[in-house]
């Protein structure tokens, strides 16, 4: 039949069945099949439902499903028997504390819990990382005589000094003994001294009685009438930073909010500017009050306007208004099939990564690395090797910046540098099955505070997962063209809960746990030698009060609440050692050219416009302040010009942009004038210079005018060809909040990443062959262990003598975690 389909003819049979006879034959066939099915079923043993049989493994025969291997990681084999970057143990911290308190030191210390601003007290004790040269020397020899000595870094607030200051000290070697010494640690700063007004966060900034007496008590009547509550009941306040420009003063704006779940989304229209300078709280004072864009220089002038009717008021929200929009409770009907548990990852043949818990060393598929942890920024990775070669000496976050916009005193003046608050100290235990898969392996971390030491048992999690996409694949027709490599990845994760927001976590059984907003730090290792550095954010917005003047600074998310426009920028130190420590900075640029060739004289003319690549080495560090070009038509890499692959190309690792490779929008703001210049770049590249471990210190927030560590001072024209180079790479996101950010921002959009990926480092793809060969690794089938019931481990608390301490009250835990973001004024 022309233009149609013909029935397929088989063999020599050319007879085509008519439609009528075909239908008869079909009915007969169906009837016979049905009869056979009934006969067969009569002889079959019908098994009970699978869910009934899962627990009865002893009744199965030899072909039955067996229990899976235990989900415990096998022991690792670290390249050295020590971790040079390990945190101090509780015992070591206590030894240092008592040694410093000895009258022989003449430090006149008062323990932080009972100290006053005018006292000397220890703010921090933590490990001081050894110089890179000494570590590499030890790893080269593995001789016990070359083991780097252990030291502690100690920060003391000298409030009783004639000129109160903050100082850092190097204490060691450890353990404490006759050779232990204490010296002023100055090389980490560009300033001779840190003024006391620029000290670390201090709860006495709002717990001193003078705060209430001078700032709250004089306007108590106005709180109740204008805001619908009182500071001791239905209202809470928060302070914006920075508190100082150069350490010469300590001042902050207080903004008021409703004291309700998700209070960050309930800002009110009253702001107070307070002066906390000096060590005598009786001298602290209130400088300004702003209500509904009206400015008052004293409580008296504000209350006068309040009483005489000249104050332009904002309507008070009805006390019966439903505020539940800011809670984490489920809203609306349950989704279809949501009553069923979702899929989960199971390593049926057992975990394929190794862990040494004592040394905090991890290995997987040719990768190996040590873990470190500190108060300022939390998790860090050290001595990262792939197939026996060191790729990265140090990979560590340095700073987290957030700068806000708005038409009120609070949002317009907020510029956070979260290192100040201690992102490592703000780590909380992760939720199994939510923050990490059920079979993840957890490692602990311990941090110091003025009240004692805290150990989080689930501070770090490690797991392997299938990315659900092949790493490489091709379907071809020639021999060995057909194949795929599964995209397995190893993830090392920690979640810092910085105090910008509060996150209520409601599980299916409505169990409630309070943590602060998450910044999830992920280090993802790929089979091809690539390292992905990714961060994600969630939690409550730092909302602003919405009125008609705020539209260009964000989006309205509730009756009187606005999600304020802001940037997030997180900086990482990346000490790459590519085929050795001698590296160069390679800049690759893509552009276009018009090419004319004599053999182009055909139907298309004699000219072709095409891409061309330009490669150049950046030799002067002044040129190493880097931004990705428009359309990402270019890239940067660290290469070793003296080491080539089989094809004569210099071996290197590229810094490849991933999600949202942004830099800070605002340049020139006085609140981040010089202490966040790096945030305006994608990356910077500098020689390691031995002991330069960080380009930020926790007090940087208070030094916009002249930071203790000025990043740009390092760029002084030094040659960076074939030097031990360090890259400083930024991640971040421009966050224009929207109504979907209430109650919490979502991690799927609030994500940023970069890749460290091989660039001619290998001779070919280091992954497995593309041919179909499972190398004897067959899919496993077994019954995995039943997931443990959900539980959230409380932190283990220790006093400054190392003794287990009772758990704090909920209110005290909130004070310690939410810091300046939830200030509860008390009599």
């Amino acid at each position: 039949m022309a233009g149609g389909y013909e029935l397929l003819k088989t063999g020599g049979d050319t007879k085509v069945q008519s439609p009528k006879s075909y239908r008869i034959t079909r009915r007969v066939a169906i009837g016979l099949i049905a009869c056979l099915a009934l006969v067969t079923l009569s002889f079959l043993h019908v098994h009970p439902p699978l869910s009934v049989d899962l627990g009865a493994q002893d009744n199965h025969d030899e072909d039955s499903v067996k229990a899976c291997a235990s989900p415990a990681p096998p022991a690792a084999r670290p390249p050295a028997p020590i971790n040079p970057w390990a945190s101090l143990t509780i015992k070591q911290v206590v030894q240092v504390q008592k040694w410093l308190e000895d009258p022989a030191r003449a430090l006149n210390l008062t323990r932080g819990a009972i100290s006053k601003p005018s006292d000397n007290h220890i703010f921090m004790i933590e490990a001081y990382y050894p110089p890179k040269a000494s570590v590499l020397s030890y790893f080269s020899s593995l001789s016990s005589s070359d083991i780097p000595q252990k030291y502690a870094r100690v920060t003391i607030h000298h409030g009783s000094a004639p000129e109160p200051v903050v100082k850092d000290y190097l204490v060691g070697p450890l353990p404490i003994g006759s050779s232990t010494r204490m010296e002023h640690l100055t090389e980490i700063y560009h300033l001779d001294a840190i003024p006391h007004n620029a000290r670390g966060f201090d709860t006495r900034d709002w717990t001193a009685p003078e705060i209430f007496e001078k700032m709250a008590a004089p306007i108590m009547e106005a709180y109740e009438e204008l805001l619908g509550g009182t500071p001791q009941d239905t209202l809470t306040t928060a302070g914006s930073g920075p508190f100082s420009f150069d350490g010469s003063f300590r001042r902050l704006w207080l903004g008021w909010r409703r004291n309700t779940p998700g209070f960050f989304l309930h800002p009110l229209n009253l702001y107070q500017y307070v002066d906390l300078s000096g060590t005598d709280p009786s001298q602290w004072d209130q400088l300004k009050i702003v209500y509904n864009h009206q400015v008052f220089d004293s409580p008296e002038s504000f209350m006068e306007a309040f009483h005489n009717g000249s104050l332009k008021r904002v309507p008070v929200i009805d006390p019966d208004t439903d505020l539940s929009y800011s809670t984490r409770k489920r809203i609306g009907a349950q989704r279809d099939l949501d009553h069923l548990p979702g899929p989960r990852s199971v390593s049926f043949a057992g975990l394929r990564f190794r862990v040494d818990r004592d040394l905090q060393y991890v290995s997987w598929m040719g990768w190996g690395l040590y873990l470190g942890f500190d108060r300022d920024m939390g998790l860090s990775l050290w001595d990262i090797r792939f197939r026996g070669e060191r790729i990265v000496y140090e990979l560590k976050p340095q700073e987290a910046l957030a700068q806000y916009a708005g038409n009120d005193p609070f949002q317009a003046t907020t510029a956070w540098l979260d290192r100040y608050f201690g992102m490592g100290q703000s780590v909380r235990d992760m939720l199994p099955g939510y923050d990490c898969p059920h079979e993840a392996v957890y490692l602990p971390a311990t941090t110091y505070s003025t009240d004692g030491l805290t150990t989080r048992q689930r501070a770090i999690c490690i797991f392997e997962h299938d990315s659900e996409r092949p790493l490489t694949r091709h379907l071809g027709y020639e021999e060995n063209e057909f194949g795929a490599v599964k995209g397995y990845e190893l993830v090392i994760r920690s979640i810092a809960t910085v105090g910008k927001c509060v996150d209520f976590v409601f599980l299916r059984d409505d169990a409630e746990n309070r943590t602060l907003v998450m910044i999830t730090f992920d280090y993802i290792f790929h089979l091809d030698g690539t390292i992905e550095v990714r961060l994600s954010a969630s939690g409550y917005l730092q909302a602003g009060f919405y009125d008609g003047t705020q539209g260009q600074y964000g989006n309205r998310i509730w009756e009187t609440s606005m999600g304020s426009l802001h940037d997030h920028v997180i900086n990482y130190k990346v000490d790459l050692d590519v085929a050795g420590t001698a590296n160069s900075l390679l800049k690759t640029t893509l552009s276009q050219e018009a090419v004319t060739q004599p053999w182009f004289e055909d139907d298309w003319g004699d000219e072709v416009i095409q891409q061309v690549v330009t490669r150049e080495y950046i030799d002067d560090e002044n040129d190493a302040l880097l931004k990705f070009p428009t359309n990402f038509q270019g890239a940067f890499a660290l290469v070793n010009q003296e080491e080539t692959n089989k094809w004569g190309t210099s071996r290197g690792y590229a810094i490849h942009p991933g999600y949202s490779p942004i830099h800070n929008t605002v340049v020139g703001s006085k609140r981040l004038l010089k202490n966040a210049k790096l945030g305006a770049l994608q990356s910077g590249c500098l020689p390691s210079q031995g002991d330069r471990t960080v380009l930020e210190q926790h007090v940087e927030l208070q030094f916009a005018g002249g930071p203790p560590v000025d990043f740009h001072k390092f760029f002084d024209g030094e040659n960076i060809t074939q030097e031990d180079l360090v890259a400083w790479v930024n991640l971040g996101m421009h966050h224009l909040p929207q109504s979907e950010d209430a109650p919490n921002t979502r991690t799927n959009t609030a994500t940023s990443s970069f890749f460290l990926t091989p660039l001619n480092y290998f001779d070919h793809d280091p992954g497995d062959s593309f041919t179909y060969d499972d190398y004897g690794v067959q899919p496993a089938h077994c019954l995995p262990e039943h997931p443990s019931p959900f539980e959230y481990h409380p932190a283990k608390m220790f006093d400054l003598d190392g003794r287990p301490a009772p758990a704090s009250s909920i209110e005290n835990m909130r004070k310690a975690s939410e810091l300046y973001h939830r200030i509860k004024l008390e009599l």
Side-chain angles (χ1 to χ4, degrees):
M1 56 181 83
Y5 292 98
E6 295 183 7
L7 294 175
L8 181 64
K9 299 177 182 179
T10 59
D13 187 79
T14 59
K15 184 178 181 181
V16 178
Q17 217 173 7
S18 70
K20 181 177 180 182
S21 61
Y22 171 75
R23 287 194 295 269
I24 296 172
T25 303
R26 185 181 176 203
R27 292 192 188 107
V28 172
I30 293 173
L32 287 172
I33 292 171
C35 291
L36 285 171
L38 289 172
V39 172
T40 303
L41 286 172
S42 67
F43 290 96
L44 289 178
H45 173 69
V46 181
H47 285 278
L50 178 62
S51 60
V52 176
D53 201 42
L54 285 178
Q57 296 184 45
D58 295 339
N59 297 331
H60 291 311
D61 57 26
E62 293 181 356
D63 295 329
S64 298
V65 177
K66 306 296 183 183
C68 293
S70 172
R77 295 181 287 271
I82 67 166
N83 180 347
W85 309 280
S87 303
L88 297 180
T89 65
I90 293 176
K91 181 179 179 181
Q92 289 172 324
V93 171
V94 170
Q95 286 181 342
V96 172
Q97 171 94 25
K98 291 184 176 180
W99 187 82
L100 292 169
E101 291 175 338
D102 191 307
R105 309 285 92 75
L107 292 171
N108 190 27
L109 295 173
T110 302
R111 290 202 167 176
I114 59 173
S115 65
K116 300 185 295 295
S118 56
D119 291 329
N120 297 344
H121 79 271
I122 299 172
F123 178 75
M124 179 171 60
I125 301 175
E126 66 178 11
Y128 188 75
Y129 297 128
K132 180 177 180 180
S134 63
V135 174
L136 294 184
S137 176
Y138 168 66
F139 274 121
S140 176
S141 69
L142 291 182
S143 169
S144 58
S145 61
D146 289 335
I147 295 177
Q149 291 183 314
K150 193 80 172 179
Y151 283 84
R153 174 191 169 190
V154 177
T155 302
I156 297 179
H157 293 174
H158 291 276
S160 68
E163 186 68 33
V165 293
V166 176
K167 289 186 177 181
D168 282 86
Y169 298 94
L170 196 63
V171 176
L174 303 179
I176 296 294
S178 58
S179 61
T180 299
R181 296 290 183 269
M182 175 181 181
E183 62 180 89
H184 188 193
L185 186 58
T186 57
E187 61 265 26
I188 62 174
Y189 294 124
H190 288 154
L191 298 178
D192 294 332
I194 304 299
H196 194 259
N197 283 327
R199 65 190 180 276
F201 69 81
D202 192 337
T203 58
R204 292 164 304 193
D205 285 345
W206 62 85
T207 56
E210 288 82 358
I211 298 290
F212 189 91
E213 293 168 3
K214 288 194 173 185
M215 292 109 197
I219 62 172
M220 188 63 68
E221 182 184 357
Y223 288 137
E224 192 157 7
E225 190 168 327
L226 298 177
L227 306 184
T230 65
Q232 297 165 292
D233 182 17
T234 55
L235 301 180
T236 185
T237 190
S240 72
F243 313 143
S244 185
F245 180 70
D246 55 8
S248 62
F249 58 84
R250 190 177 183 86
R251 297 171 181 169
L252 64 152
W253 280 99
L254 296 176
W256 288 92
R257 299 162 177 164
R258 295 180 187 86
N259 189 17
T260 188
F263 62 88
F264 286 98
L265 299 186
H266 296 276
L268 298 165
N269 203 5
L270 176 67
Y271 311 93
Q272 296 171 258
Y273 192 42
V274 298
D275 187 347
L276 310 175
S277 303
T279 60
D280 183 359
S282 68
Q283 300 301 309
W284 295 353
D285 204 359
Q286 181 164 214
L287 304 179
K288 289 181 182 178
I289 297 175
V290 175
Y291 173 75
N292 192 23
H293 307 291
Q294 301 158 90
V295 183
F296 302 90
D297 291 332
S298 67
E300 291 76 18
S301 61
F302 171 69
M303 293 305 295
E304 181 182 357
F306 173 78
H307 286 119
N308 67 22
S310 63
L311 190 69
K312 298 177 183 177
R313 303 191 177 204
V314 174
V316 179
I317 293 293
D318 190 308
D320 296 326
T321 300
D322 182 9
L323 304 180
S324 64
Y325 88 97
S326 61
T327 70
R328 291 280 311 209
K329 290 184 177 180
R330 194 200 307 258
I331 299 175
Q334 188 175 30
R335 301 186 189 202
D336 183 37
L337 299 182
D338 192 31
H339 64 287
L340 299 176
R344 65 186 177 96
S345 177
V346 176
S347 297
F348 287 99
L351 300 185
R352 302 196 306 168
F353 57 90
R354 298 177 180 272
V355 176
D356 186 317
R357 294 180 181 274
D358 293 333
L359 297 186
Q360 295 214 322
Y361 180 84
V362 181
S363 63
W364 173 77
M365 297 292 159
W367 289 102
L369 62 138
Y370 290 89
L371 305 181
F373 199 93
D374 61 36
R375 174 265 178 200
D376 281 1
M377 293 303 295
L379 177 64
S380 55
L381 276 54
W382 300 83
D383 193 47
I384 303 174
R385 304 186 190 192
F386 185 60
R387 294 189 169 183
E389 287 192 79
R390 182 179 296 107
I391 305 294
V392 179
Y393 177 77
E394 178 184 359
L395 180 54
K396 186 176 188 293
Q398 292 295 299
E399 185 59 275
L401 173 157
Q403 186 164 6
Y404 287 75
N407 193 28
D408 65 67
F410 196 90
Q411 303 294 74
T413 63
T414 296
W416 298 119
L417 296 179
D418 286 323
R419 185 185 190 102
Y420 177 82
F421 301 100
M423 298 188 76
Q425 193 166 277
S426 298
V427 159
R428 300 292 179 269
D429 285 85
M430 286 179 276
L431 308 176
Y434 291 81
D435 294 330
C436 301
H438 282 289
E439 65 176 17
V441 173
Y442 296 92
L443 294 177
T446 299
T447 54
Y448 178 95
S449 74
T450 55
D451 293 329
L453 296 102
T454 303
T455 296
R456 302 282 179 182
Q457 296 299 320
R458 289 173 172 166
I460 304 165
C461 78
I462 307 162
F463 58 91
E464 182 187 15
H465 74 128
D466 188 338
S467 68
E468 304 299 341
R469 62 179 179 182
L471 183 61
T472 63
R473 55 105 53 206
H474 181 71
L475 301 184
Y477 297 93
E478 295 292 337
E479 183 178 0
N480 294 331
E481 282 189 348
F482 186 107
V485 174
K486 289 180 73 66
Y488 292 115
E489 299 170 350
L490 184 79
V491 180
I492 301 178
R493 172 174 295 167
S494 184
I495 298 180
T497 50
V498 291
K500 287 191 191 59
C501 351
V502 175
D503 181 12
F504 289 86
V505 181
F506 282 86
L507 309 179
R508 290 186 180 276
D509 59 1
D510 286 332
E512 179 182 342
N513 289 278
R514 178 184 293 271
T515 66
L516 292 179
V517 64
M518 304 186 310
I519 293 185
T520 302
F521 293 90
D522 282 343
Y523 301 92
I524 305 169
F525 295 86
H526 299 252
L527 293 170
D528 68 333
T530 293
I531 304 170
E532 181 181 355
V533 180
R534 184 192 303 172
L535 63 88
S536 307
S538 183
Y540 285 105
L541 299 169
Q542 178 181 295
F545 185 85
Y546 179 81
D547 61 26
T549 68
Q550 295 277 31
Q552 61 183 321
Y553 303 111
N555 280 311
R556 188 178 184 180
I557 59 175
W558 193 65
E559 298 295 336
T560 57
S561 298
M562 178 191 73
S564 299
L565 174 65
H566 59 282
D567 276 357
H568 290 283
V569 177
I570 290 84
N571 177 256
Y572 286 83
K573 178 183 181 182
V574 185
D575 186 353
L576 280 159
D577 286 349
V578 182
T581 57
N583 294 162
S584 298
L585 177 58
L586 175 65
K587 178 183 179 181
T588 303
T589 304
L590 302 179
S591 57
Q592 72 175 39
E593 65 173 2
V595 181
T596 302
Q597 297 285 0
W599 41 268
F600 281 167
E601 294 180 357
D602 54 19
D603 297 337
W604 301 95
D606 60 358
E607 182 180 86
V608 167
I609 298 177
Q610 61 185 3
Q611 284 195 91
V612 62
V613 58
T614 303
R615 299 180 182 91
E616 61 176 318
Y617 287 103
I618 296 176
D619 298 323
D620 188 325
E621 67 182 9
N622 287 337
D623 299 322
L625 293 165
L626 309 173
K627 289 183 180 180
F628 289 118
T630 302
N631 199 33
F632 294 108
Q633 290 179 211
F636 302 98
L638 294 186
V639 304
N640 191 329
Q641 297 185 62
E642 298 168 359
E643 296 288 334
T644 63
N645 64 10
K646 182 178 179 179
W647 318 114
T649 307
S650 295
R651 302 174 70 193
Y653 255 74
I655 301 171
H656 196 286
Y659 301 106
S660 185
I662 67 108
H663 52 82
N664 194 27
T665 304
V666 178
V667 177
S669 166
K670 191 172 182 180
R671 281 177 170 76
L672 291 179
L673 187 62
K674 295 182 179 180
N675 56 353
K677 282 188 175 181
L678 182 57
L681 305 166
Q682 248 93 37
S683 179
C685 196
L686 287 166
S688 175
Q689 292 188 2
D691 295 339
R692 184 194 294 157
T693 56
V694 296
L695 289 187
E696 296 281 345
Q697 295 294 334
H698 72 273
V699 294
E700 295 284 305
L701 174 65
Q702 317 304 351
F703 283 96
V709 183
D710 191 336
F711 177 71
H712 279 64
K713 283 188 176 181
F714 292 116
F715 291 86
D716 55 7
E718 185 176 349
N719 187 281
I720 57 174
T721 302
Q722 290 301 99
E723 295 287 343
D724 186 3
L725 299 182
V726 176
W728 309 83
V729 184
N730 283 331
L731 294 180
M733 60 211 73
H734 303 303
H735 195 178
L736 174 55
Q738 57 203 47
S739 55
E740 290 83 1
D741 281 317
N744 283 169
T745 296
R746 295 147 292 143
T747 60
N748 57 351
T749 55
T751 293
S752 185
S753 65
F754 69 89
F755 296 84
L756 303 173
T757 188
L759 179 69
N760 302 305
Y761 190 85
F762 302 102
D763 298 335
H764 51 74
D765 178 8
D768 293 332
S769 169
F770 293 166
T771 60
Y772 176 78
D773 189 342
D774 59 19
Y775 299 95
V777 181
Q778 297 291 331
H781 182 54
C782 55
L783 293 178
E785 286 188 358
H786 194 284
S788 300
F790 178 84
E791 59 180 350
Y792 189 77
H793 290 289
K796 291 185 176 180
M797 311 297 295
F798 302 87
D799 64 22
L800 294 176
D801 293 314
R803 297 171 302 204
S808 298
S809 67
I810 295 294
E811 186 59 34
N812 285 337
M813 285 192 285
R814 291 192 73 174
K815 288 179 181 177
S817 62
E818 295 168 0
L819 305 174
Y820 294 91
H821 301 279
R822 181 182 177 272
I823 296 174
K824 187 176 180 181
L825 301 186
E826 301 172 347
L827 281 174

